[in-house]
Amino acid sequence: MTFEYLNILEKLKENGYNTFRIRKEKIFSESVLTKFRKSQPVSIIQLVKVCELTNCNISDIIELKK
């Protein structure tokens, strides 16, 4: 089973968290941002943080594929 992140960076941007702000406030590291872009695994803590910042559920940002 594989997965794909669904526009995490777009969701963050819509909620006022552009990549400049994310880097400046050290919300996510550069490596985590890169992993979001490439749909590479990140910790559940990072995903929960995205959900808290964007007021969404994990199912709104991850799609599982068979």
Side-chain angles (χ1 to χ4, degrees), residues 28-56:
F28 296 108
S29 68
E30 188 62 41
S31 64
V32 171
L33 292 174
T34 299
K35 288 178 180 184
F36 287 156
R37 285 185 194 101
K38 295 181 177 182
S39 284
Q40 295 175 339
V42 296
S43 72
I44 191 72
I45 293 168
Q46 302 297 340
L47 296 174
V48 168
K49 193 174 197 178
V50 169
C51 291
E52 289 173 348
L53 294 172
T54 61
N55 196 28
C56 72

Side-chain angles (χ1 to χ4, degrees), residues 6-21:
L6 303 174
N7 304 316
I8 288 179
L9 295 177
E10 271 186 42
K11 273 199 174 299
L12 287 165
K13 189 174 183 178
E14 289 170 4
N15 286 274
Y17 297 95
N18 61 21
T19 53
F20 175 78
R21 180 178 179 189

Side-chain angles (χ1 to χ4, degrees), residues 11 51 54-62:
K11 273 199 174 299
C51 291
T54 61
N55 196 28
C56 72
N57 294 313
I58 290 202
S59 61
D60 296 329
I61 59 173
I62 295 179

